[in-house]
């Protein structure tokens, strides 16, 4: 039986309507139809092929990326695609490029931080790509600590200009995507200085290259920072280095929606609340969480399909060997990742709603929920990207030796994705920020001020501290309220424990540094609770198809009980569950794996990914793995000749014992 037959047989086992699940995954029928149409458009266009990407030298790889990005823009205009459709097309092209930062950071920052007049000037140029922008914040010496940035923007009242300068080597801008070779403009973050006084970090639009010959403007040193992790992968992106030598720009190129500098050099706060920057932050982090679900689901799709194709051991009387997916050791590693992909998808949908809600509150000058929103989005960015990066690597290992091949798609997917654990906030730093707000919330519980949003459960701190799990048999863990209470009690008790330990220190910052590892664990527990609660809330919505909803309930159970099993030390140490109850949870988890097993292939088919987008021989929809692996091997440049280059110079002298005469 060939691989294609294996997957056909798997699909016959399906117990739910895959088309209905595709709509649930996409978020709506409209979103599914747009995604389906655009993904097939890209997959069927030979200009977007990517199967040779891992074998190209860096210069050729980068030039090919420029071609694809430009061709994509051409097709967007020819087809008159909407903003939603254009975004999907860039997503399915699946190649990091300068356009990611132009559309994902440069344009949103101008929309969020520029005045109406600045938006009228710069956005039309950016929308037409008559200028190409990047987001130049991170420096060689500072990343997470934005307040430590060293680049200066000093106002010169005599010329009505800012002087942008890099005073030290470590003040060099370092890492901005698109900066190295492509961007014509940068949104540069620098220390604002007027009349000898510093006024914090502000953003400035700076032209970097001539719009005629693309050469750097006077006073600007600019280039690429070099090769990065992986074959192909993020090396399609020109992450750059940038230094300024007293570069002058007009005063009106400082983004002045929140604060402005007058002609006389006075810094004046505008009527627009500074908190508006939260809107851009929530938007970016919501996108990152959605990207996490996409990246993890790709890896899970590859690993699940290959696990059904691959057979190893267990042959009875000369019959077929056992499918790898039938081993419980495989299921216990794979199915929680499948459940996590769905969980992250749904929490990403909720963050999209949260962004709309935050913007509405900001317009109404309502800022009371902002600290909690910051904590929530920071924590979820950290949690989902960490789990996804680890999950992709786990999927590679789940595919055995073949997972190490570039043609599996997994090494490149990991190399492309893993920077997400660092950009837009280092994941540990973000969890510590969440912990600060958790500690502040716990300290204010006695003031009568109720916690809000995802921290509202802390308002029930007394019953949560007295909570005793009443699970008596394994099936009791199928009750979502039982699961939710256990996760709430664990998160609350870990936060309270940290707060109590902090109170014993004379200097709070000393305590925070000493207890930082414990605080990160409390923060992670809080964030896991958010994901569990949003998965449960999703199940309370109107979901098409009874069996679809039942399978999602099973996935929700796997996600939560797998977490409970993995972190049972927390649950036991905080007395949220007994050892017997933890054991029952694991018994129920194994039963849920059994329920998912016949539907596993259909659950990953519901992601609706084309073979082009997956970029994996192991994850092919038709399951025809082995012939395609064999065929791909002969396409490697090393196989262009039977006798390798260097044979006569190195190998032959070695074999003939003529090394003394060889020119090595």
């Amino acid at each position: 039986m060939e691989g294609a037959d294996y997957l056909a047989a798997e699909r016959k086992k399906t117990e739910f309507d895959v088309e209905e699940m595709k709509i649930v995954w996409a978020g709506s029928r409209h979103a599914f139809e747009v995604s389906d149409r655009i993904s097939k458009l890209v997959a069927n266009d030979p200009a977007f092929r990517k199967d040779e990407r891992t074998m190209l030298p860096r210069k050729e790889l980068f030039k090919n990326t420029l071609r694809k990005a430009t061709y994509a823009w051409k097709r967007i205009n020819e087809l008159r695609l909407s903003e939603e459709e254009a975004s999907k097309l860039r997503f399915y092209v699946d190649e990091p490029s300068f356009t990611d930062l132009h559309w994902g950071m440069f344009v949103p920052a101008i929309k969020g931080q520029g005045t109406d007049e600045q938006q009228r000037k710069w956005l039309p140029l950016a929308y037409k790509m008559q200028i190409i922008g990047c987001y130049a914040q991170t420096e060689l010496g500072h990343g997470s600590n934005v307040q430590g940035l060293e680049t200066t923007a000093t106002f010169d009242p005599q010329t009505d200009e800012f002087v942008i300068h890099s005073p030290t080597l470590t003040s060099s801008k370092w890492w901005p995507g698109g900066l190295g070779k492509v961007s014509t403009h940068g949104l540069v973050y620098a220390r604002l200085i007027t009349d000898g006084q510093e006024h914090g970090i502000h953003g400035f639009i700076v032209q970097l290259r001539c719009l005629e010959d693309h050469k750097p403007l006077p006073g600007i040193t600019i280039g690429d920072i070099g090769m990065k992790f992986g074959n192909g992968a993020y090396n399609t992106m020109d992450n750059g280095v940038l230094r300024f030598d007293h570069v002058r720009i007009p005063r009106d190129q400082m983004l002045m929606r929140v604060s402005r500098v007058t002609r006389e050099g006075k810094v004046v706060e505008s009527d627009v609340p500074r908190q508006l920057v939260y809107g851009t932050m929530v938007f970016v982090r919501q996108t990152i969480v959605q990207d996490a679900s996409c990246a993890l689901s790709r890896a899970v799709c590859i690993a699940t399909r290959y696990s059904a194709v691959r057979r190893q051991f267990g042959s009875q009387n000369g019959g077929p060997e056992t499918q790898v997916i039938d081993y419980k050791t495989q299921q216990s590693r794979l199915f929680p990742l499948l459940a996590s992909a769905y969980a992250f998808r749904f929490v990403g949908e909720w963050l999209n709603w949260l962004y709309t809600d935050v913007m509405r509150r900001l317009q109404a000058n309502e800022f009371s929920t902002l600290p909690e929103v910051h904590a929530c989005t920071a924590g979820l960015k950290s949690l989902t990207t960490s789990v996804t990066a680890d999950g992709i690597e786990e999927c590679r290992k789940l595919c055995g030796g073949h997972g190490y091949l570039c043609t599996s798609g997994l090494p490149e997917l990991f190399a492309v994705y893993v920077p997400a654990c660092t950009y837009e906030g280092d994941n540990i730093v973000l969890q510590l920020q969440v912990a600060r707000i958790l500690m502040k919330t716990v300290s204010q519980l006695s003031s009568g001020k109720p916690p809000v949003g995802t921290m509202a459960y802390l308002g029930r701190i007394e019953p949560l501290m007295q909570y005793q799990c009443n699970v008596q048999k394994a099936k009791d863990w199928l009750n979502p309220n039982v699961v939710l209470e256990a996760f709430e009690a664990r998160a609350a008790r870990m936060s309270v424990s940290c707060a109590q330990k902090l109170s014993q220190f004379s200097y709070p910052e000393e305590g925070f540094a000493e207890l930082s590892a414990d605080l990160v664990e409390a923060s992670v527990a809080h964030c896991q609770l958010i994901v569990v609660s949003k998965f449960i809330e999703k199940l309370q919505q109107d979901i098409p198809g009874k069996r679809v909803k039942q399978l999602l309930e099973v996935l929700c159970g796997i996600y939560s009980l797998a977490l409970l099993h993995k972190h049972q030390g927390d649950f036991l140490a905080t007395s949220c569950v007994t050892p017997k109850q933890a054991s029952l949870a694991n018994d129920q988890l194994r039963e849920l794996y059994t329920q998912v097993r016949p539907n596993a292939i259909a659950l990953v088919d519901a992601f609706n990914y084309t073979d082009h987008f997956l970029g994996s021989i192991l994850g092919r929809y038709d399951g025809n793995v082995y012939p395609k692996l064999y065929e791909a091997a002969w396409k490697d440049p090393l196989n262009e000749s039977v006798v390798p280059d260097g044979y006569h110079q190195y190998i032959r002298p070695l074999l003939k014992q003529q090394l003394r005469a060889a020119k090595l």
Side-chain angles (χ1 to χ4, degrees):
M1 187 183 285
E2 296 298 329
D5 295 322
Y6 289 150
L7 292 192
E10 287 293 321
R11 291 184 175 106
K12 289 179 182 177
K13 300 176 185 176
T14 305
E15 301 169 340
F16 67 95
D17 188 328
V18 179
E19 296 304 310
E20 290 179 339
M21 188 68 86
K22 286 180 180 179
I23 293 170
V24 172
W25 174 262
S28 69
R29 182 173 294 278
H30 167 76
F32 164 72
E33 290 173 349
V34 170
S35 182
D36 186 60
R37 176 165 45 84
I38 298 299
S39 66
K40 290 174 180 174
L41 173 72
V42 172
N44 293 328
D45 192 330
F48 291 126
R49 64 174 293 193
K50 59 183 184 180
D51 52 310
E52 297 178 352
R53 187 164 61 192
T54 58
M55 294 183 254
L56 294 176
R58 177 83 195 282
K59 276 190 172 182
E60 194 176 335
L61 176 72
F62 183 65
K63 185 176 180 181
N64 194 42
T65 301
L66 298 184
R67 176 189 63 77
K68 286 185 185 179
T70 304
Y71 178 73
W73 180 245
K74 178 171 177 267
R75 294 297 287 151
I76 287 168
N77 285 295
E78 287 174 347
L79 298 172
R80 298 183 179 182
L81 299 185
S82 66
E83 189 174 337
E84 177 190 15
E85 292 168 327
S87 176
K88 281 293 180 186
L89 187 141
R90 288 190 291 270
F91 172 75
Y92 282 116
V93 169
D94 187 40
E95 194 151 314
S97 78
F98 62 91
T99 57
D100 297 352
L101 280 299
H102 177 82
W103 294 108
M105 296 295 290
F106 183 72
V107 169
I110 293 175
K111 289 168 70 174
Q113 299 172 39
T115 63
D116 292 344
E117 184 179 350
Q118 288 174 321
Q119 291 185 44
R120 284 192 295 270
K121 176 180 179 180
W122 295 104
L123 288 180
L125 297 172
Y127 283 143
K128 295 175 184 176
M129 294 204 80
Q130 291 175 318
I131 62 172
I132 298 170
C134 66
Y135 190 84
Q137 177 173 293
T138 299
E139 295 178 353
L140 186 59
H142 289 87
S144 297
N145 181 14
V146 176
Q147 297 307 313
L149 295 179
E150 298 176 82
T151 303
T152 56
T154 305
F155 182 66
D156 183 349
Q158 293 188 338
T159 61
D160 197 25
E161 294 173 317
F162 288 107
V163 180
I164 311 296
H165 185 58
S166 305
T168 63
L169 178 68
T170 50
S171 69
S172 305
K173 294 299 179 184
W174 191 274
W175 276 113
L179 170 65
K181 293 295 176 184
V182 177
S183 295
T184 62
H185 291 68
L187 185 49
V188 177
Y189 284 83
R191 311 183 78 83
L192 172 61
I193 301 173
T194 64
D195 196 24
Q197 284 192 316
E198 285 198 12
H199 300 276
I201 305 298
H202 293 264
F204 302 82
I205 299 175
V206 184
Q207 184 172 346
L208 306 173
R209 292 180 168 96
C210 174
L211 293 177
E212 295 301 322
D213 61 12
H214 206 60
K215 291 182 178 179
L217 295 182
I220 288 176
T221 301
I222 193 169
D224 187 270
I225 62 172
M227 283 288 286
K228 299 168 289 278
F229 182 53
N231 296 58
Y234 224 84
N235 290 299
T236 58
M237 179 74 80
D238 55 325
N239 296 92
V241 53
L242 169 66
R243 296 202 69 187
F244 298 100
D245 184 3
H246 299 92
V247 174
R248 290 178 173 269
I249 62 170
R251 176 171 55 90
D252 65 4
Q253 287 181 213
M254 170 184 161
L255 293 182
M256 297 191 187
R257 188 176 185 187
V258 174
S259 58
R260 61 188 177 87
V261 175
T262 67
R263 177 65 183 83
E264 297 73 32
K266 301 294 183 184
V267 178
V268 180
E269 298 293 321
S270 72
D271 294 334
V272 177
R274 177 172 290 276
Q275 290 91 338
L276 268 179
V277 297
Y278 275 88
T280 304
M281 176 199 71
V282 174
F283 173 78
V284 171
R285 288 177 178 167
Q286 169 253 322
T287 303
I288 291 174
V289 172
Q290 288 282 18
D291 288 346
S293 76
C294 292
L296 183 56
S297 60
R298 286 175 69 177
V300 167
C301 184
I302 294 167
T304 302
R305 287 177 178 170
Y306 182 62
S307 294
V309 169
R310 184 75 167 176
R311 288 181 176 253
Q312 211 77 174
F313 304 114
S315 174
Q316 298 289 330
N317 301 318
E321 294 177 275
T322 302
Q323 288 171 279
V324 170
I325 199 171
D326 284 328
Y327 290 107
K328 284 294 180 182
T329 49
Q330 192 83 350
Q331 293 176 11
S332 66
R333 295 160 65 197
L334 178 60
F335 291 168
L337 294 175
L338 172 61
S340 296
Y342 276 89
F344 295 170
R345 188 71 168 187
F346 299 146
V347 82
E349 285 180 7
W350 173 74
L351 281 176
N352 191 31
W353 169 86
L354 183 66
Y355 170 67
T356 305
D357 183 65
V358 165
M359 294 308 294
R360 179 183 60 79
R361 290 174 183 270
L362 289 176
Q363 296 298 334
N365 289 336
E366 183 184 335
F367 310 127
S368 60
T369 63
L370 288 184
E372 185 273 330
V373 167
H374 167 64
C376 168
T377 56
L380 289 176
K381 181 272 177 185
S382 175
L383 177 73
T384 57
T385 55
S386 293
V387 171
T388 296
D390 292 345
I392 295 170
E393 169 62 5
E394 185 69 5
C395 285
R396 183 194 66 77
K397 290 186 283 190
L398 284 163
C399 291
H402 296 336
Y404 194 64
L405 286 167
C406 285
T407 48
S408 76
L410 292 165
E412 190 175 12
L413 178 59
F414 178 75
V416 165
Y417 187 77
V418 76
C421 296
T422 306
Y423 63 61
E424 288 306 302
D426 173 85
N427 282 356
I428 296 299
V429 172
L430 290 180
Q431 291 293 7
L432 287 171
Q433 291 177 8
V434 177
R436 283 190 182 277
I437 299 173
L438 279 171
M439 295 303 98
K440 184 177 180 181
T441 302
V442 170
S443 70
Q444 293 176 341
L445 290 176
S446 59
S447 69
K449 182 181 178 182
V452 296
T454 57
M455 293 187 182
Y457 70 98
L458 291 172
R460 295 181 283 107
I461 197 66
E462 290 187 12
L464 287 175
M465 295 301 289
Q466 297 169 6
Y467 161 84
Q468 287 186 324
C469 180
N470 58 7
V471 165
Q472 295 181 346
K473 53 186 183 296
K475 286 189 177 181
D476 291 344
W477 283 114
L478 295 177
N479 185 334
N481 290 329
V482 170
V483 171
L484 194 59
E485 285 180 350
F487 273 81
E488 286 179 340
R490 168 214 183 199
R493 292 178 187 185
M494 290 178 73
S495 289
V496 168
S497 175
C498 285
Q500 290 172 341
K501 291 175 183 176
L502 276 174
S503 66
Q504 297 171 9
F505 286 83
S506 302
Y507 302 100
E509 286 306 309
E510 179 187 344
F512 204 85
E514 180 66 23
L515 298 171
S516 57
D518 297 46
L519 288 161
V520 167
E521 290 177 0
S523 175
V524 168
H526 169 71
C527 294
Q528 289 172 342
L529 166 61
I530 296 174
V531 180
V532 169
S533 66
K534 296 309 169 187
F535 205 147
I536 292 172
E537 285 180 16
K538 178 70 177 181
L539 296 174
Q540 295 167 350
Q541 297 175 10
D542 185 21
I543 294 174
K546 179 181 178 181
R547 191 57 185 143
V548 167
K549 184 173 183 178
Q550 289 174 341
L551 258 296
L552 290 177
E553 288 172 346
V554 171
L555 289 175
C556 183
I558 288 176
Y559 179 74
S560 54
L561 295 184
L563 281 179
L564 193 154
H565 180 66
K566 182 178 180 180
H567 297 278
Q568 63 179 292
D570 289 348
F571 287 90
L572 293 171
T574 54
S575 301
C576 292
V577 301
T578 66
K580 174 64 174 176
Q581 290 167 335
S583 177
L584 290 173
N586 199 37
D587 292 342
Q588 185 57 54
L589 185 58
R590 287 197 305 274
E591 170 59 28
L592 292 176
Y593 293 156
T594 301
Q595 293 179 36
V596 162
R597 169 61 189 92
N599 299 285
I601 295 299
L603 283 166
V604 299
D605 284 351
F607 301 148
N608 202 38
Y609 294 146
T610 63
D611 282 347
H612 170 272
F613 182 66
L614 277 183
S616 169
I617 290 178
L618 303 189
R620 291 174 58 92
Y621 183 85
D622 64 9
N624 193 26
V625 171
Y626 299 129
K628 292 299 180 180
L629 277 179
Y630 187 82
E631 181 183 313
W634 295 106
K635 294 179 181 179
D636 191 282
L638 207 57
N639 286 324
E640 289 175 357
S641 61
V642 176
V643 177
D645 293 343
Y647 166 76
H648 291 286
Q649 189 174 0
Y650 306 118
I651 302 301
R652 194 174 190 280
L654 176 65
L655 293 171
K656 300 297 182 181
Q657 303 295 296
Q658 298 171 349
L659 291 180
R660 286 190 177 185
K663 295 180 180 180
L664 301 178

